Amino acid sequence: MKNKARTIITLICSLLIFAVGIFRILTESPSSTPLFVAYIFVISGLIGFVANGVMLKKLQTN
């Protein structure tokens, strides 16, 4: 698998992790998972999304 395709896949997965965390925070429905897990998803998804976006931009300029 090429680096560009791998970067795009991880970018999409990071965005999905971020979306799941945001959804869990906004709904605040009682669940077996604590709310701090949703905050961890949001933070890690955002960091992954930004890092992979920068990496994809570097790959496209080369």
Side-chain angles (χ1 to χ4, degrees):
M1 185 181 295
K2 302 276 184 179
N3 280 341
K4 186 175 179 181
R6 187 180 319 166
T7 305
I8 291 172
I9 290 171
T10 55
L11 183 74
I12 292 169
C13 290
S14 295
L15 185 62
L16 289 175
I17 290 171
F18 176 77
V20 166
I22 288 292
F23 178 74
R24 172 69 176 99
I25 290 171
L26 293 178
T27 56
E28 293 184 15
S29 61
S31 168
S32 62
T33 59
L35 197 57
F36 73 90
V37 174
Y39 287 115
I40 292 172
F41 279 4
V42 168
I43 292 168
S44 63
L46 186 63
I47 290 171
F49 183 75
V50 170
N52 287 309
V54 169
M55 191 180 302
L56 184 63
K57 189 172 184 177
K58 282 183 182 179
L59 285 174
Q60 286 184 352
T61 58
N62 290 337

